[in-house]
Amino acid sequence: PRTAEAVNFSTLLYKELTAIPYMGKFVVYAKMNDMREGRLRCYCMTDDKVDKTLEQHENFSEVARSRDIEVLEGMPLFVELSGNLVPLKKATQQRSFNFQAFRENRLAIPVKVRDTGREACGSLSFLRKAMKYEDSQHILCHLNVSMPPCTKGLGSEERRRTLTPLALRERYSTLSESTWGSLSGTDRADMKMAVISEHLGLSWAELARELHFGVDEINRIRVEKPNSLLEQSAALLNLWVTREDKDANMETLYAALRNIDRSEIVNMMERSEE
């Protein structure tokens, strides 16, 4: 047993000593869905893209930014939340992501306000290790977070219109008037893919990463479909179905959408099937 422990410790020590250090900063965006629930998006950035993120287009507000902090390539980063904000996921479920230099190191955290009679604020701790109780030697930084006021952005129908060419809007309207039950299995699947494509918008690249597509594949879609978010979304879903073949199913796609904080698309699809 001692030999196994020594080998394990030596391996971990080697990985840490050979990991490349970078200077990065933690940036947190926030948005309130209503008076009770909201969303946090956490980034660890190593470049100048703080003002070029997806959140700039989705009515999120930057609520915290750290100083430059040394982080190691491949290092797992753990996040703990305290104060008047509570993660919607189970308390025992660790929130973490692996740091990769010059990549979009991003973590979405749905939250709710513990006491609506108090200010919607809390503290985010970024840690080197998963700790049941915070150990100061493993804390990278603390950031105080105050949720912005609740603001309603574009409705789903208006947002769809801004992203969808006229011909496809007309096609979508025709499909929307149909009942799901009157369609064959193949037509129903095609209709679901069309609806998801039309609502994904700027989130398609994030969904691609969640579905384990590489940077080269994502960039290829951008190059081949440069002028339309809808076409990029549709191309992604077509590639996914082709790659997965018989293993492609809506449950997997719904889970991926929930993981990127686009549960409203899943909820809309499930309501339409009732």
Side-chain angles (χ1 to χ4, degrees):
R2 291 184 178 179
T3 302
E5 289 177 7
V7 170
N8 184 51
F9 176 78
S10 300
T11 302
L12 292 175
L13 181 61
Y14 174 78
K15 286 182 178 179
E16 188 156 334
L17 290 175
T18 55
I20 302 172
Y22 290 90
M23 298 305 291
K25 59 169 63 73
F26 293 97
V27 182
V28 182
Y29 293 89
K31 179 181 179 180
M32 291 296 288
N33 301 332
D34 52 42
M35 296 300 293
R36 181 76 178 179
E37 296 183 0
R39 288 176 281 175
L40 293 176
R41 303 268 180 90
C42 306
Y43 281 88
C44 183
M45 299 181 173
T46 48
D47 51 27
D48 63 346
K49 295 183 179 178
V50 173
D51 299 321
K52 304 174 186 176
T53 57
L54 169 66
E55 282 67 28
Q56 297 292 320
H57 302 278
E58 293 191 344
N59 297 318
F60 277 76
S61 300
E62 182 182 324
V63 293
R65 185 186 301 203
S66 75
R67 57 179 173 80
D68 285 338
I69 296 172
E70 183 178 285
V71 286
L72 302 179
E73 178 75 20
M75 172 195 288
L77 301 173
F78 299 89
V79 182
E80 290 296 336
L81 182 61
S82 60
N84 198 29
L85 299 175
V86 183
L88 285 176
K89 296 181 180 180
K90 295 180 180 178
T92 55
Q93 186 171 356
Q94 187 68 49
R95 288 156 291 278
S96 64
F97 56 102
N98 289 328
F99 170 76
Q100 293 181 295
F102 308 109
R103 299 288 181 87
E104 188 181 75
N105 303 291
R106 182 173 180 274
L107 178 67
I109 307 177
V111 298
K112 67 178 179 180
V113 180
R114 189 194 305 270
D115 181 357
T116 54
R118 296 165 49 206
E119 183 182 356
C121 62
S123 177
L124 276 174
S125 299
F126 293 89
L127 312 170
R128 290 187 178 90
K129 293 186 178 180
M131 306 293 291
K132 186 173 182 180
Y133 300 101
E134 291 181 8
D135 186 335
S136 59
Q137 66 178 329
H138 296 304
I139 296 175
L140 290 166
C141 72
H142 285 299
L143 293 177
N144 293 322
V145 174
S146 293
M147 301 298 287
C150 178
T151 57
K152 297 295 182 181
L154 293 176
S156 60
E157 178 65 18
E158 185 178 351
R159 180 173 59 185
R160 180 176 63 80
R161 284 184 166 275
T162 64
L163 299 176
T164 311
L166 178 59
L168 284 170
R169 289 209 301 268
E170 292 173 349
R171 172 175 172 271
Y172 176 86
S173 298
T174 302
L175 288 171
S176 299
E177 292 167 2
S178 304
T179 60
W180 291 92
S182 66
L183 298 172
S184 67
T186 302
D187 287 341
R188 190 180 299 116
D190 288 344
M191 178 176 174
K192 289 178 180 179
M193 290 299 183
V195 175
I196 292 172
S197 296
E198 290 167 350
H199 285 79
L200 258 182
L202 290 158
S203 299
W204 76 266
E206 188 179 3
L207 179 62
R209 285 186 286 271
E210 185 66 27
L211 293 173
H212 307 296
F213 284 91
V215 174
D216 291 341
E217 293 169 300
I218 294 173
N219 287 337
R220 190 178 304 119
I221 293 175
R222 288 191 173 111
V223 171
E224 293 177 355
K225 311 289 183 182
N227 300 318
S228 170
L229 289 171
L230 177 61
E231 291 179 359
Q232 291 170 350
S233 300
L236 166 66
L237 294 179
N238 286 335
L239 281 176
W240 175 71
V241 170
T242 301
R243 186 190 70 185
E244 298 298 314
D245 196 22
K246 294 180 180 179
D247 293 329
N249 59 74
M250 296 308 298
E251 288 74 21
T252 300
L253 188 56
Y254 286 173
L257 286 167
R258 290 190 178 98
N259 287 341
I260 65 167
D261 205 15
R262 293 306 303 270
S263 297
E264 78 277 5
I265 297 178
V266 179
N267 295 337
M268 175 189 66
M269 301 297 295
E270 291 177 339
R271 283 196 302 270
S272 67
E273 297 177 26
E274 295 175 355

